[in-house]
């Protein structure tokens, strides 16, 4: 679909410049843009590449001299990266369902007689919907999706190909789940008759060695999974069901691909969990928490509101609200950076110390 520069500027809350009736039908990076694309030059670092591509119009930063960049038209906004959210939505035909989610139900769909599926829900081929499951209006469900018994899927949900929902998974409105995600698998919960090696080491901080060998008994997962409104879950992410209470993810939270959320975990609202991060069982995250890539939170901890955990950090104790943490084990970012600087200086400081000691010894 094509849009005029003026139409896009209105949608983005920006300013249109030049030939505002000029139409664009795609988005592109500056160096590879066609004449009909809107080039995305969000800051001056990308401006030089405009001359490499063929773009005649671009999205630019506020105050940019669009005419000097050789453009026919431009849109300027105060925060171009934020404008990308609406801009990409406008150009995403698959998101709107026109390509990936045709109307109606594919003839290969299997729906249990006791399931309640909204008449306008779009369901792709070879999807299976279990008994007592309820699917809300305008939901879009891709191919080869498995939805178990007793699930609840809210209005406007988007569930892409190959997603697996086991039983009693409850999903709010407008939730997006990317391909291959699994919600509601049993928690990783096992116990031994006597305290296991893991328990002994934890309780004694390693002073006592491994316990006697014992078989593991499985603790069954009777709780479900509850996902709030406007949550997004990435490809191949996994969220385990709770043992007794449900594992919960709060409204507006965004979960990246390959993220693991353990059984009984309680994730707050509007959190951001980046790729390969993990939240162990029975841990609570407050609202607006950010876990950078490969960050890990140990079990049975509480992380307060607005905490930011740096990449590859390991949180092994409770974190108060508002903290920024980094490292292994995670400490406040400022302290971690100072420790790292001191470690980098250590060889030089030791060399200086050796010289000083040698001089003292030579003066005897």
């Amino acid at each position: 679909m094509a849009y005029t520069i003026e139409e896009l500027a209105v949608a983005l809350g920006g300013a249109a410049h030049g030939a505002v009736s000029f139409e664009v039908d795609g988005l592109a990076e500056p160096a590879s843009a066609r004449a009909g694309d809107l080039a995305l030059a969000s800051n001056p670092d990308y401006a030089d590449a405009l001359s490499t591509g063929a773009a005649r119009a671009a999205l630019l930063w506020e105050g940019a001299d669009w005419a000097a960049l050789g453009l026919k038209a431009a849109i300027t906004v105060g925060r171009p990266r934020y404008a990308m959210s609406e801009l990409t939505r406008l150009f995403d035909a698959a998101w709107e369902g026109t390509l990936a989610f045709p109307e109606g139900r594919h003839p290969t769909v299997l729906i249990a007689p006791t399931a309640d599926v909204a008449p306008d829900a779009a369901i792709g081929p070879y999807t299976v919907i279990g008994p007592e499951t309820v699917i809300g209006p305008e939901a879009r469900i891709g191919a080869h999706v498995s939805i178990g018994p007793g699930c609840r899927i809210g209005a406007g949900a988007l569930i892409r190909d190959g997603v697996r929902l086991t039983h009693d998974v409850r999903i709010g409105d407008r939730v997006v789940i990317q391909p291959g995600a699994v919600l509601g698998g049993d928690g990783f919960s096992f116990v031994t008759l006597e305290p296991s090696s893991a328990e002994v080491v934890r309780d004694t901080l390693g002073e006592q060695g491994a316990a006697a060998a014992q078989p593991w008994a499985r603790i069954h997962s009777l709780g479900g999974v509850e996902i709030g409104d406007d949550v997004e879950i990435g490809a191949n992410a996994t969220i385990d069901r709770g043992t007794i209470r449900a594992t919960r993810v709060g409204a507006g939270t965004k979960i990246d691909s390959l993220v693991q959320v353990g059984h009984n975990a309680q994730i707050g609202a509007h959190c951001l969990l980046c790729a390969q991060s993990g939240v162990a069982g029975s841990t609570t995250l407050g609202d607006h928490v950010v876990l950078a890539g490969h960050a890990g939170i140990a079990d049975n901890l509480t992380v307060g509101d607005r905490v930011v955990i740096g990449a590859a950090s390991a949180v092994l104790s409770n974190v108060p609200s508002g903290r920024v943490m980094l490292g292994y084990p995670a400490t406040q970012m400022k302290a971690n950076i100072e420790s790292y600087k001191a470690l980098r200086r250590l060889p030089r400081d030791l060399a200086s110390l050796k010289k000083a000691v040698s001089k003292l010894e030579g003066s005897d």
Side-chain angles (χ1 to χ4, degrees), residues 96-185:
E96 293 302 313
T98 56
L99 296 180
F101 297 93
E103 294 182 1
R105 307 172 186 179
H106 194 274
T108 59
V109 169
L110 294 178
I111 302 176
T114 56
D116 181 5
V117 180
D120 62 351
I123 307 175
Y126 301 103
T127 285
V128 178
I129 298 173
E132 308 299 332
T133 281
V134 176
I135 297 178
E138 299 182 350
R140 290 165 291 166
I141 300 173
H144 295 276
V145 174
S146 174
I147 301 175
C151 292
R152 298 289 184 272
I153 297 174
L158 173 60
I159 300 178
R160 293 193 178 273
D161 299 350
V163 169
R164 300 289 182 260
L165 309 180
T166 65
H167 60 288
D168 299 320
V169 175
R170 297 174 180 268
I171 294 172
D173 297 339
R174 300 173 300 280
V175 169
V176 177
I177 307 179
Q178 299 292 347
V182 178
L183 277 62

Side-chain angles (χ1 to χ4, degrees), residues 180-243:
V182 178
L183 277 62
D186 284 350
F188 191 72
S189 191
F190 298 88
V191 66
T192 52
L193 180 62
E194 300 294 335
S196 68
S197 295
E199 293 173 282
V200 170
V201 169
R202 186 175 197 169
D203 291 343
T204 65
L205 299 181
E207 291 183 7
Q208 185 174 333
Q214 306 173 73
W216 295 98
R218 186 167 182 265
I219 297 177
H220 290 249
S221 300
L222 306 182
V225 171
E226 297 178 3
I227 307 295
D229 296 341
D230 301 301
V231 169
E232 299 201 21
I233 299 171
N236 293 325
T238 58
I239 302 177
D240 292 346
R241 64 190 318 102
T243 304

Side-chain angles (χ1 to χ4, degrees), residues 14-70:
H17 307 275
V20 297
S21 61
F22 181 73
E23 290 189 343
V24 292
D25 58 9
L27 305 177
E29 295 181 352
S32 58
R34 303 175 297 115
D37 287 332
L38 182 71
L40 305 176
S42 57
N43 64 58
D45 293 339
Y46 300 115
D48 290 343
L50 285 169
S51 61
T52 306
R56 303 173 69 188
L59 175 72
L60 302 173
W61 64 98
E62 202 167 49
D65 188 351
W66 63 273
L69 294 172

